[in-house]
Amino acid sequence: MGNKQTIFTPEQLDAYQDCTFFTRKEILRLFYRYRDLAPQLVPLDYTDKPDVTLPYELIGSMPELKDNPFRQRIAEVFSASGDGNMTLDDFLDMFSVLSEMAPRDLKAYYAFKIYDFNNDDYICKSDLEKTVNKLTRNELTPEEVSLVCEKVIYEADADNDGKLSLEDFQHMIIRAPDFL
Amino acid sequence: IFHGFYAEEKLVGNLASMSASERIKAIQKMPETMRKKREISNRVLKEITRKSRRRGAGLSCCTGCLLRAAVFYRRFENVLSESFGRLRLWHRTLKIIGAEFGTSVLSYFLFLKWLITLNIFSFLINFSFITVPQFVAAAPNNLPFTGLELFTGAGYFQETVLYYGFYTNATISKAENGPSYNMQLAYIFSIGGYFAVCFLILLFSMARSFYRNFVNPLVHPGTASKLLCTWDFSVTNEKAVRLKQRNLSTQIKEELAGVNREVLSFSVRERVVRMVIHLVSWAASLGTAVAACAGIYFLSINNLKLFVEGRKNDLATEAAMLVLPVVTSLLNTFIPFFYSWLGRLEGFQTPGQQIYVTIVRNIILRISIVGILCCYWLNVVAASDSQCWETLVGQDTYRLVLFDFVFCLLGCFFGEFLPRIIGTTCSVNRGLPEFDIGRNILDLIYAQTLTWVSVLFSPLLPGIQIMLFSIVFYVKKVSLRMNCQPPRRFWRTAQMTTLFILLLFFPSFLGVLSVIGVTVWRLKPSEECGPFRGLPSMFAAVSEWIRVLESYAVSHWVVWVYHNLITSELFFFIISTPVVFLIYFYWKIIEGRKTMARLLHMLIIN
């Protein structure tokens, strides 16, 4: 309404606003952040929906993600092709879910997908072991890691099949108010 | 998770039947990629236009107009929210603090910001309804201004709008037979209205906090939730991340080792010894609190004697007035150290227990100090033969608030700046100090309690407190980034925030409400100053007004409300009995659901 920007059509901006938790200004700011990663690849005109994908290395070097131990999994989960290369849509999606305005069950759903390393819709013991190693930076011995994973599965597995399904995980998250 | 074509059709149908804002919220919450969401959104719009077209061609242009109007309205809403978003206070600073130190430290700053907004609200109400009319009818101020007033609050400030004593009891009117402004009613109603709104705000925040953070855990949250749920995804500083990883691994090791520790049960003799140790420490802490209160009480009585007898305005008497706030702040600073030392000595089973017990002891100390001061003000000062006792109380609170602020800054200097210098130059093993979240939030609760007590006696003190809190915000922020490291222990942010809001509501706010209640209903206002001079009690202004209203036919409902609802005991009994029943009923429902969940869990496993 009065902002003379030529990057998106008004309908595109409205569609972005409807699908993410961001306002117009925030979407434009995110677009500029996306573009700053590779100014030569990203055009300034998105009205004709160009098909531009940025490689994972650029995304992973952003200051918000650089030190996050799960940055590779986050990029893989949110990228449409599953290999960490992200289009602008994926980029906006990712930040929308990671923002503080996203509801907890949405975050829990994506957290489940991030922790599910082998993409089989269950968090099995090997997924948990990889998670623990990433969270503690390999400071625990393999026996301790294994013990911890067994405890986690014992406590959270409601239907006793040896792995955590999405419902088990969401049930656990609901009981932990500190999850962000 | 949406598999299948028919599930999608059903979803589109559901979305099409919702209102526009609900639909947008539902689409935003869907865990799908953007492309899928756009697809679904387009299909929903097509479905809506198809439905409206079916209802009749005559209506289709109307729906087209309505759709366009809805889009226009949404764009207007966005512009409004964007311009208000710029007014969000300290948004960027808070994000940076959260990124470098985690959400536990951030909760302190959010609490501070929330208290500042409560004070801004109080200041606006008092300023617009009480102070501005007073400026119109102000008497000239003939006292000299020396710099000492800023510390003692007396002297020149005595005859300004800062204190209760200056306000007139007249009905102010600018022109003859023009609209008049009854200062007495304005005073009571604005302060009463502010406390009522504060009560509702606190009640709702507490309820929301409880609801979000205290959902009944069926099982004691063990390693599982600690592991997968306490990773603070908002931390982006490399050092902080590495520290968090090290902490998590230490905690996991402790937990694994602790499993073996819990298995040992204590022998009877050891249990008795532990109980005796706990009793002795509680006795010591309560004893110190009682001693502190007694000391403050006798000191203040002496002060009053000095003031009433002396009545000289020289430097010695003014300096003597500062002794009470300095002593109070000193006690508030050093006794908590004693409590933490006691806590460490006692040897609790979990560090969480130690934190809770220390917080409870600290809050008992501070609330009893405020309590004893209120007792002194209401019993001794109000009955003394000083000229204007409310102004005296206002001045006391001004000095207490000011010196609490000064000691807070000093505490920041000695507690964070010096240890950092020592930690980096002399003994490098100690490392940087940590930000003591619990202690700082309790300081805030104490300062806010004093401010609330002072609203009646010094209507502009919340405005001063806003300034002091803002300075504290900046100083703490700078000190945090310069001197502190991210917290090492796991601090259950959500539960602790709920606890602190509960502490703010229950001992602090309700205590202040009872003090204000006693003052308004029971105490005799001073004869020579203030808006209620000459009346038997402050509430008498309202009863007189009701008597005046009885003669007007239009306002009979107000009189009826007053006689039958506000002043009748039967009404409160009728209200509180169903409330108690409701609470008991809900509690039983929760218990029943817990049992049901346990049974279902058993069924699923087997």
Side-chain angles (χ1 to χ4, degrees):
Chain A
M1 193 161 152
N3 272 357
K4 296 175 188 50
Q5 52 86 22
T6 51
I7 311 173
F8 300 107
T9 65
E11 290 77 29
Q12 276 180 318
L13 262 186
D14 278 342
Y16 277 135
Q17 266 187 302
D18 284 348
C19 299
T20 66
F21 294 99
F22 292 125
T23 64
R24 278 171 40 118
K25 227 168 47 150
E26 289 164 349
I27 293 176
L28 289 171
R29 210 184 300 162
L30 277 170
F31 170 76
Y32 284 120
R33 291 293 304 276
Y34 184 71
R35 185 159 192 275
D36 283 340
L37 294 173
Q40 68 281 15
L41 287 177
V42 178
L44 267 174
D45 188 359
Y46 254 73
T47 47
D48 50 355
K49 302 199 200 4
D51 187 18
V52 177
T53 311
L54 289 188
Y56 162 69
E57 292 74 29
L58 289 176
I59 308 275
S61 65
M62 287 184 68
E64 285 85 354
L65 290 178
K66 168 164 71 75
D67 293 312
N68 193 326
F70 288 102
R71 58 185 176 281
Q72 174 137 24
R73 275 303 294 164
I74 293 177
E76 283 170 17
V77 161
F78 283 101
S79 74
S81 47
D83 56 359
N85 304 330
M86 300 181 92
T87 65
L88 180 64
D89 280 2
D90 302 330
F91 190 76
L92 287 174
D93 240 348
M94 176 173 75
F95 277 106
S96 170
V97 171
L98 290 178
S99 77
E100 60 194 6
M101 295 162 290
R104 275 183 47 187
D105 29 4
L106 189 62
K107 289 193 200 233
Y109 174 79
Y110 277 103
F112 182 78
K113 286 181 58 169
I114 290 173
Y115 291 146
D116 181 11
F117 282 80
N118 50 9
N119 286 329
D120 61 351
D121 287 336
Y122 285 104
I123 298 184
C124 56
K125 188 152 174 246
S126 63
D127 292 333
L128 267 182
E129 283 177 357
K130 291 206 198 83
T131 310
V132 174
N133 279 324
K134 277 215 196 292
L135 280 179
T136 59
R137 210 183 157 82
N138 303 324
E139 277 198 22
L140 299 177
T141 67
E143 297 83 34
E144 284 170 339
V145 170
S146 177
L147 210 60
V148 162
C149 295
E150 276 167 17
K151 262 197 92 163
V152 170
I153 294 188
Y154 173 69
E155 281 172 10
D157 194 7
D159 49 3
N160 255 358
D161 55 359
K163 44 196 179 165
L164 299 180
S165 64
L166 176 63
E167 287 77 26
D168 295 331
F169 188 74
Q170 281 179 330
H171 185 57
M172 193 170 65
I173 293 284
I174 287 183
R175 285 192 275 134
D178 290 314
F179 174 69
L180 289 156
Chain B
I1 308 175
F2 308 106
H3 304 297
F5 178 68
Y6 290 113
E8 236 178 72
E9 283 292 319
K10 211 166 66 143
L11 172 73
V12 171
N14 278 344
L15 286 173
S17 54
M18 291 187 200
S19 72
S21 54
E22 272 177 27
R23 191 182 327 132
I24 292 173
K25 280 206 192 77
I27 292 184
Q28 276 174 340
K29 277 199 250 190
M30 282 196 328
E32 300 285 338
T33 61
M34 184 100 67
R35 196 185 315 154
K36 195 91 178 59
K37 283 200 255 203
R38 261 203 291 247
E39 217 181 277
I40 293 186
S41 178
N42 288 337
R43 284 175 62 184
V44 167
L45 278 174
K46 271 196 225 122
E47 175 79 17
I48 292 180
T49 37
R50 190 166 62 86
K51 264 205 219 163
S52 60
R53 215 177 292 137
R54 249 189 312 160
R55 261 190 237 124
L59 294 173
S60 64
C61 66
C62 267
T63 37
C65 289
L66 275 178
L67 274 175
R68 270 197 298 273
V71 166
F72 176 75
Y73 177 65
R74 266 204 77 212
R75 293 217 182 126
F76 178 64
E77 242 184 341
N78 288 335
V79 169
L80 267 187
S81 66
E82 273 172 28
S83 30
F84 274 119
R86 260 184 246 132
L87 295 176
R88 267 187 296 189
L89 217 55
W90 296 314
H91 182 68
R92 205 185 130 85
T93 314
L94 291 174
K95 276 253 177 295
I96 295 179
I97 294 178
E100 290 187 18
F101 292 93
T103 31
S104 48
V105 172
L106 185 64
S107 66
Y108 165 78
F109 287 92
L110 288 175
F111 194 77
L112 179 52
K113 184 173 138 178
W114 187 54
L115 287 182
I116 291 183
T117 31
L118 278 182
N119 279 330
I120 289 182
F121 176 55
S122 155
F123 176 68
L124 283 176
I125 289 189
N126 284 352
F127 191 73
S128 21
F129 288 115
I130 310 182
T131 315
V132 167
Q134 179 59 37
F135 279 137
V136 170
N141 190 346
N142 298 326
L143 298 173
F145 182 82
T146 65
L148 205 56
E149 270 89 5
L150 289 174
F151 287 111
T152 58
Y156 178 76
F157 281 155
Q158 216 161 340
E159 295 289 327
T160 57
V161 285
L162 186 57
Y163 294 120
Y164 168 99
F166 184 65
Y167 289 87
T168 170
N169 68 338
T171 316
I172 306 171
S173 51
K174 266 297 244 194
E176 279 294 323
N177 297 333
S180 64
Y181 191 81
N182 190 336
M183 185 55 115
Q184 294 177 333
L185 291 178
Y187 205 90
I188 271 207
F189 283 142
S190 48
I191 292 190
Y194 167 67
F195 275 115
V197 172
C198 235
F199 177 78
L200 290 174
I201 292 178
L202 277 176
L203 198 63
F204 280 126
S205 328
M206 214 172 54
R208 198 176 45 177
S209 231
F210 257 110
Y211 175 71
R212 236 190 284 159
N213 302 328
F214 267 97
V215 185
N216 299 316
L218 267 181
V219 146
H220 176 70
T223 338
S225 42
K226 223 192 265 187
L227 175 58
L228 290 181
C229 307
T230 63
W231 181 253
D232 196 347
F233 275 98
S234 66
V235 177
T236 58
N237 185 0
E238 187 189 351
K239 252 194 309 177
V241 166
R242 217 172 288 183
L243 196 64
K244 260 199 170 344
Q245 286 172 323
R246 207 173 315 140
N247 298 344
L248 192 56
S249 46
T250 324
Q251 276 165 9
I252 291 180
K253 288 195 200 208
E254 276 177 16
E255 175 89 11
L256 288 179
V259 166
N260 308 330
R261 217 184 330 127
E262 272 168 41
V263 174
L264 320 150
S265 57
F266 295 111
S267 65
V268 179
R269 183 169 166 273
E270 280 188 355
R271 253 186 270 161
V272 167
V273 166
R274 290 177 72 86
M275 179 119 20
V276 166
I277 293 184
H278 284 313
L279 279 177
V280 165
S281 348
W282 271 106
S285 42
L286 289 177
T288 359
V290 166
C293 292
I296 291 182
Y297 188 69
F298 286 118
L299 190 63
S300 19
I301 292 195
N302 267 339
N303 244 2
L304 185 65
K305 247 188 274 184
L306 203 70
F307 179 74
V308 171
E309 286 168 8
R311 207 71 73 81
K312 301 191 291 274
N313 276 343
D314 65 348
L315 218 57
T317 6
E318 306 259 320
M321 284 200 274
L322 295 181
V323 173
L324 175 64
V326 168
V327 167
T328 316
S329 303
L330 278 175
L331 287 174
N332 266 331
T333 315
F334 288 116
I335 297 189
F337 283 127
F338 173 61
Y339 286 159
S340 334
W341 176 74
L342 260 185
R344 263 196 298 267
L345 223 58
E346 266 180 79
F348 286 98
Q349 275 185 321
T350 59
Q353 265 182 356
Q354 183 182 346
I355 294 183
Y356 272 119
V357 166
T358 316
I359 287 182
V360 167
R361 286 181 183 156
N362 274 319
I363 203 82
I364 290 180
L365 171 75
R366 291 186 196 239
I367 293 294
S368 33
I369 286 185
V370 176
I372 205 79
L373 283 170
C374 290
C375 242
Y376 156 69
W377 285 327
L378 297 185
N379 287 338
V380 177
V381 178
S384 73
D385 46 334
S386 55
Q387 225 178 7
C388 196
W389 65 267
E390 292 97 345
T391 306
L392 282 184
V393 175
Q395 287 170 353
D396 267 339
T397 48
Y398 174 89
R399 287 189 289 259
L400 281 168
V401 160
L402 188 66
F403 275 92
D404 183 61
F405 165 71
V406 166
F407 271 82
C408 178
L409 293 184
L410 284 178
C412 205
F413 180 75
F414 284 110
E416 289 167 14
F417 182 68
L418 280 188
R420 176 190 62 127
I421 303 278
I422 298 178
T424 44
T425 50
C426 304
S427 54
V428 200
N429 314 337
R430 291 191 68 198
L432 298 174
E434 270 178 36
F435 188 76
D436 193 347
I437 304 169
R439 174 92 186 263
N440 280 305
I441 294 193
L442 285 178
D443 280 342
L444 287 183
I445 295 182
Y446 172 74
Q448 184 61 34
T449 316
L450 283 178
T451 315
W452 273 330
V453 168
S454 75
V455 165
L456 185 62
F457 304 107
S458 166
L460 294 185
L461 199 64
I464 298 182
Q465 185 70 293
I466 294 173
M467 219 168 50
L468 298 181
F469 270 163
S470 315
I471 299 179
V472 165
F473 186 96
Y474 281 113
V475 169
K476 289 275 177 200
K477 176 189 83 151
V478 167
S479 161
L480 182 73
R481 298 181 69 183
M482 252 187 15
N483 304 331
C484 298
Q485 59 168 332
R488 265 180 288 217
R489 293 218 143 272
F490 173 48
W491 175 265
R492 288 210 192 91
T493 313
Q495 281 184 351
M496 288 310 216
T497 316
T498 314
L499 174 70
F500 286 126
I501 296 184
L502 179 68
L503 287 178
L504 188 67
F505 181 73
F506 174 57
S508 170
F509 184 74
L510 289 185
V512 169
L513 266 191
S514 32
V515 166
I516 301 277
V518 165
T519 317
V520 167
W521 256 279
R522 289 292 164 90
L523 289 183
K524 188 162 164 34
S526 38
E527 293 284 331
E528 293 156 32
C529 63
F532 298 102
R533 55 193 104 168
L535 294 175
S537 77
M538 293 189 196
F539 197 69
V542 177
S543 0
E544 266 188 35
W545 178 59
I546 293 288
R547 235 172 349 109
V548 166
L549 276 187
E550 269 171 9
S551 51
Y552 292 105
V554 192
S555 41
H556 265 163
W557 62 274
V558 180
V559 181
W560 183 86
V561 163
Y562 176 78
H563 279 307
N564 295 333
L565 297 185
I566 301 185
T567 46
S568 82
E569 298 82 14
L570 187 64
F571 176 66
F572 284 110
F573 180 68
I574 292 181
I575 289 276
S576 45
T577 322
V579 167
V580 169
F581 272 126
L582 256 164
I583 295 177
Y584 179 70
F585 186 57
Y586 272 120
W587 180 38
K588 281 296 167 193
I589 290 186
I590 292 179
E591 301 257 301
R593 287 209 183 134
K594 255 197 266 189
T595 330
M596 177 92 98
R598 239 193 313 250
L599 285 173
L600 285 174
H601 194 168
M602 290 286 135
L603 278 177
I604 294 178
I605 293 186
N606 301 335

